[in-house]
Amino acid sequence: VATDYKALVCIFMAGGNDSWNTIVNLTDYNSYAAIRQGLAIPQVQLLGGMVPPSDGRTYGLNPSLSAIRPFWNTGKLAVAANVGSLLEPIDRATYLARPDLRPPNLFSHSDQVAQWNTSCASPALLTGWGGRVGNRTLHMNGDIPFPMMVSIAGSTLFGTGAVVRPLEVTSAGTVGLAGFNTSSIAQTRYNAMKQLLGVDNDVTFIKTTGGTVGRAIETNELLSAALTTVPPLAT
């Protein structure tokens, strides 16, 4: 069981990304500018001075990323380059001659989205890599009832595991049951409803449904109580 706390925050930009204009090689800026022509970002606008120890060349960030640029200086920002679904780098001739080296449905946006969520180009999987990481690390949480995964994007393939299921909330906070308040009558109804979730547990379907709703209620209460003790996130 882990003795400290760590969270992995994943933000998935569902659209395409022009990576050549996200981070620019300033050491060879002239080649970049010649190839990109009218799409090239003027060198004076790039947020330069980034020299990764693994490479040695100087890079610059897109000016729209000024909010995260200071994190590079403090060692809290890194760029994972050349990441994709190719088995290995290939040139155009090899691409045309060796279909077996191409990811399936390479120019299909929906298929590429699924591949990024599952981390597998083929075959199609029903679990995401976030959910599978959760499956492997679930035991490290000990007896803590809070789920391994929390999603503010609804039900996602990324967070789905064989065992792990994410708690789905909104960007504004938790999603509780409507129709209850703090009055004694409302709380009596609320507790009665929770008790009903345990009725007919000898029926597999009802037991599964009641357990899912019950866990959602419990984790919502845990998260709601925790969020009341922290200031609003400013970013």
Side-chain angles (χ1 to χ4, degrees):
V1 176
T3 58
D4 60 348
Y5 173 80
K6 287 185 173 66
L8 177 65
V9 180
C10 297
I11 303 173
F12 184 64
M13 316 296 270
N17 174 54
D18 183 0
S19 59
W20 288 100
N21 272 13
T22 301
I23 181 168
V24 177
N25 177 5
L26 296 180
T27 301
D28 196 14
Y29 178 84
N30 290 338
S31 295
Y32 153 81
I35 294 171
R36 301 242 78 186
Q37 300 183 23
L39 294 176
I41 300 174
Q43 188 167 2
V44 294
Q45 295 181 15
L46 292 165
L47 309 175
M50 300 171 61
V51 184
S54 60
D55 188 279
R57 291 175 291 182
T58 302
Y59 292 86
L61 278 182
N62 188 294
S64 298
L65 298 175
S66 59
I68 66 171
R69 175 63 180 82
F71 293 109
W72 175 269
N73 296 333
T74 57
K76 294 183 178 181
L77 173 67
V79 177
N82 301 319
V83 176
S85 51
L86 287 173
L87 297 175
E88 60 186 53
I90 58 176
D91 56 23
R92 183 176 186 274
T94 306
Y95 172 84
L96 295 173
R98 293 286 307 274
D100 57 306
L101 295 181
R102 308 177 208 156
N105 306 316
L106 186 59
F107 295 102
S108 165
H109 182 77
S110 59
D111 286 288
Q112 294 297 300
V113 167
Q115 289 172 22
W116 279 106
N117 277 268
T118 63
S119 79
C120 182
S122 180
L125 296 181
L126 299 178
T127 59
W129 66 264
R132 296 198 299 276
V133 170
N135 290 337
R136 292 299 187 97
T137 56
L138 183 63
H139 68 281
M140 298 179 68
N141 263 11
D143 295 326
I144 297 174
F146 198 76
M148 288 287 294
M149 303 281 298
V150 178
S151 168
I152 62 170
S155 178
T156 65
L157 177 59
F158 165 79
T160 301
V163 178
V164 169
R165 291 293 185 273
L167 171 65
E168 297 171 21
V169 300
T170 71
S171 57
T174 58
V175 183
L177 294 173
F180 301 98
N181 53 43
T182 57
S183 70
S184 59
I185 294 178
Q187 289 303 301
T188 299
R189 286 193 296 113
Y190 183 63
N191 292 327
M193 183 212 64
K194 290 197 291 185
Q195 290 177 358
L196 285 173
L197 296 175
V199 175
D200 292 332
N201 266 352
D202 55 325
V203 181
T204 302
F205 180 78
I206 295 177
K207 179 180 180 180
T208 303
T209 303
T212 300
V213 176
R215 285 191 300 273
I217 292 173
E218 292 172 2
T219 51
N220 179 75
E221 291 175 347
L222 282 171
L223 184 57
S224 297
L227 290 177
T228 60
T229 63
V230 296
L233 177 65
T235 181

